[in-house]
Amino acid sequence: MAAANLLSEEEFSCPVCCDIFRDPVLLSCSHSVCRTCLQQFWETKGSQECPVCRRRSSKSDPPCNRALKNLCEAFLESRSQRASAEFEVLCSLHNEKLKLFCLEDQQPVCVVCNLSKAHKNHNCCPIDEAVCDFKNKLKTSLERLQQNLKALEEVKQTCDETAAHIKCQAQHTERQIKEEFEKLHQFLRDEESARIAALKEEEEQKSHMMRRKIEEMNGEIESLSDQIRNLQKEMEAEDILVQHTPKEPEKVSALLINVAKHLSSLKFRVWENMQKILQYTPVTLDPNTAHPHLHLSDDLTTAECRPQTSLLPDNPERFEVYPCVLGSEGFNSGTHCWDVDVGGSEYWALGVIRESESRKGSSVWDSVWSLHYSKSSNEYWISCPGQADHVLTPTEKLQRVRVQLDWDRGKVTFTDLITSSHLHTITHTFTDTVFPIIYSYSSPVRLLPAKISVMIENQSVVC
């Protein structure tokens, strides 16, 4: 170590890389070079020459210069210790090494400071222990930051997926809107064509009648002209034998186009006919709440459980455990009802759920008032929060069910639409907004459209 301290850094430097020797080898000419530097030099030159004197080496694998290697390692260690000593901080008051750390003042102190009035009765520990404690705290903080970073990256990924899904939603919805309006446009075009065709038909009929009438009139005019000429001849004769009584021409009526029939309340009549293609459902399903395995129809009235085919964002509104979907509108007053075709579904549930209930856990049914069916047990039952299930025994298998909510009176009523028989009424005092909920595990469950009628009363239209 002492010998290493007496030598300069240049004497420990490789002539090729000019850095401290690493794994030096001894050539036959007595020069030393880093093994890696020598191999690179030989590969570049294409011959086994000494990089210093250019003498050819007699050995392709020169031996390690262990003495030089040990000196280089000692030199590096000595230099490291000197660097540490140079950066060692001394107490500004007592010019002593700062070997202690005051836990109360949170600062390094020397032995003399520890005995002084400024730090008397303070808790102090060796500075190495304080550094170790700080490192542990920093490690803990680092772990928390890393966890936060991971959480942020996951949230960002979810945001990226949500942004992509929003774009897909907008494109799909725009396409559906255009398709629906195209149906309306086509209906209006068909209505326009039909009404113009009816007008043209009436025009042709009336025009044909007028042409025939004109021909008749032309015949009568010609006949009358002949009679006039004959009368004029008779008047010139001495004796008038026949008297002619002129015939009054018949007036033509009801030959004009019935404009009122074609234009009277035209928009209303078209709208009246539009009922054939219109469909209204009191409840529309919300795709943003649907479980990923629950596929919804384009008109948002049918829910069917299928394997997931596309990636959906894990938004807070979406059900995570059960294949459920909510109606798009919540109710906090009034009376509302909707009809559901449960068809051949093997496991379904209908009812209402509190808006505040989380959609992510398995405790969803703790806030649902509902009617259930299971094909495996062939049972129907009523489920209410905080109550035991109530088993129902309908006379026939349910195909269509009406759910009626009377929020103000606190009632949820289930009715068999096929037989019009009352199934069960749940009573509860509602205080929160509730949403319609549908659970379907197999075959499609479909919301049925309501009947639309148009009546005219006292010159007003009631739909």
Side-chain angles (χ1 to χ4, degrees):
M1 176 95 47
N5 290 337
L6 297 175
L7 299 175
S8 64
E9 183 173 340
E10 293 181 358
E11 295 175 271
F12 293 101
S13 299
C14 172
V16 177
C17 65
C18 299
D19 199 356
I20 303 299
F21 282 106
R22 290 181 176 82
D23 192 15
V25 295
L26 181 63
L27 299 175
S28 56
C29 60
S30 300
H31 290 119
S32 294
V33 187
C34 291
R35 186 182 297 276
T36 303
C37 295
L38 182 64
Q39 293 298 331
Q40 292 176 351
F41 180 79
W42 282 356
E43 290 176 2
T44 303
K45 293 292 291 182
S47 62
Q48 297 180 358
E49 296 179 358
C50 173
V52 180
C53 66
R54 304 300 183 183
R55 285 183 60 183
R56 186 173 182 82
S57 175
S58 60
K59 297 180 180 179
S60 60
D61 187 16
C64 175
N65 191 340
R66 296 189 179 278
L68 180 58
K69 182 178 181 181
N70 294 335
L71 286 172
C72 289
E73 291 176 353
F75 177 80
L76 290 172
E77 183 180 356
S78 175
R79 187 172 65 176
S80 176
Q81 290 177 354
R82 288 199 305 271
S84 299
E86 290 175 0
F87 286 101
E88 191 174 53
V89 181
L90 301 178
C91 177
S92 60
L93 297 178
H94 308 106
N95 202 29
E96 294 286 341
K97 292 182 180 180
L98 299 174
K99 294 184 177 181
L100 300 175
F101 187 81
C102 180
L103 298 176
E104 297 187 19
D105 293 331
Q106 290 293 299
Q107 66 180 35
V109 295
C110 68
V111 178
V112 180
C113 290
N114 185 36
L115 299 175
S116 65
K117 293 181 179 180
H119 298 279
K120 189 176 182 180
N121 298 326
H122 285 187
N123 290 327
C124 295
C125 68
I127 198 164
D128 293 340
E129 292 183 8
V131 170
C132 184
D133 291 340
F134 275 113
K135 284 184 177 180
N136 291 334
K137 291 180 181 178
L138 289 174
K139 183 180 179 181
T140 303
S141 299
L142 178 62
E143 290 175 352
R144 285 200 298 265
L145 290 174
Q146 290 173 337
Q147 292 174 356
N148 291 340
L149 177 60
K150 184 178 179 181
L152 285 174
E153 289 174 345
E154 292 176 353
V155 172
K156 182 183 179 299
Q157 182 180 356
T158 301
C159 290
D160 291 340
E161 294 172 355
T162 302
H165 185 67
I166 288 172
K167 187 173 182 179
C168 292
Q169 273 187 315
Q171 293 173 347
H172 181 68
T173 305
E174 180 181 355
R175 184 167 59 252
Q176 287 182 276
I177 290 173
K178 289 181 177 179
E179 290 175 358
E180 291 300 317
F181 270 93
E182 178 55 30
K183 293 177 184 177
L184 294 175
H185 295 158
Q186 187 59 48
F187 172 82
L188 292 176
R189 286 193 291 267
D190 293 342
E191 281 285 315
E192 180 185 8
S193 299
R195 292 177 184 277
I196 290 178
L199 174 62
K200 294 295 184 183
E201 182 180 1
E202 184 180 356
E203 178 190 12
E204 182 61 29
Q205 291 176 354
K206 297 292 177 70
S207 297
H208 178 71
M209 291 174 62
M210 287 305 299
R211 285 194 298 269
R212 190 173 61 181
K213 193 65 179 177
I214 290 172
E215 290 175 358
E216 291 177 359
M217 295 296 292
N218 287 335
E220 291 180 5
I221 289 173
E222 185 177 353
S223 175
L224 188 57
S225 297
D226 291 341
Q227 292 180 17
I228 291 174
R229 284 193 295 271
N230 292 336
L231 286 175
Q232 287 176 345
K233 291 178 181 180
E234 291 178 2
M235 290 175 64
E236 293 175 355
E238 295 180 354
D239 298 326
I240 300 175
L241 301 176
V242 181
Q243 290 187 352
H244 295 273
T245 303
K247 182 181 178 181
E248 291 290 333
E250 294 181 4
K251 293 184 178 181
V252 181
S253 61
L255 285 179
L256 297 179
I257 296 292
N258 190 350
V259 177
K261 181 185 73 172
H262 295 287
L263 296 181
S264 176
S265 303
L266 177 60
K267 296 183 182 68
F268 174 78
R269 299 303 176 191
V270 172
W271 175 58
E272 192 176 26
N273 290 340
M274 196 179 288
Q275 294 179 75
K276 300 173 185 177
I277 66 169
L278 293 180
Q279 179 173 300
Y280 170 76
T281 51
V283 170
T284 301
L285 303 178
D286 184 359
N288 295 334
T289 66
H291 185 276
H293 290 176
L294 207 59
H295 176 77
L296 303 186
S297 60
D298 287 342
D299 61 359
L300 305 179
T301 60
T302 303
E304 181 179 5
C305 195
R306 299 181 187 173
Q308 185 175 356
T309 57
S310 60
L311 184 63
L312 297 176
D314 186 21
N315 49 302
E317 302 86 359
R318 193 176 304 281
F319 283 95
E320 181 182 52
V321 178
Y322 300 103
C324 298
V325 62
L326 298 187
S328 60
E329 181 183 359
F331 307 120
N332 56 15
S333 64
T335 301
H336 313 271
C337 86
W338 52 97
D339 301 335
V340 186
D341 184 350
V342 293
S345 180
E346 297 178 359
Y347 196 161
W348 52 263
L350 310 173
V352 294
I353 182 175
R354 270 204 301 256
E355 179 183 21
S356 57
E357 181 60 34
S358 172
R359 321 282 164 79
K360 298 303 180 185
S362 58
S363 62
V364 170
W365 300 108
D366 293 344
S367 298
V368 178
W369 296 263
S370 52
L371 167 63
H372 294 248
Y373 169 72
S374 173
K375 182 179 180 180
S376 59
S377 61
N378 195 27
E379 284 185 338
Y380 297 89
W381 69 91
I382 297 294
S383 176
C384 298
Q387 299 181 20
D389 293 342
H390 176 71
V391 178
L392 298 179
T393 55
T395 55
E396 297 180 5
K397 182 180 179 180
L398 298 179
Q399 297 291 329
R400 296 187 172 188
V401 178
R402 169 168 291 174
V403 184
Q404 182 168 342
L405 167 69
D406 189 339
W407 195 94
D408 298 322
R409 295 184 179 180
K411 293 182 178 180
V412 181
T413 302
F414 301 96
T415 306
D416 182 354
L417 277 181
I418 302 298
T419 62
S420 298
S421 58
H422 172 263
L423 297 173
H424 190 82
T425 297
I426 299 173
T427 57
H428 176 79
T429 302
F430 295 108
T431 57
D432 302 330
T433 299
V434 295
F435 281 78
I437 183 173
I438 289 178
Y439 172 96
S440 176
Y441 188 72
S442 56
S443 300
V445 172
R446 181 170 64 95
L447 288 162
L448 298 173
K451 293 182 179 180
I452 302 175
S453 62
V454 177
M455 296 185 299
I456 304 173
E457 295 182 356
N458 299 326
Q459 305 302 320
S460 63
V461 180
V462 179
C463 180

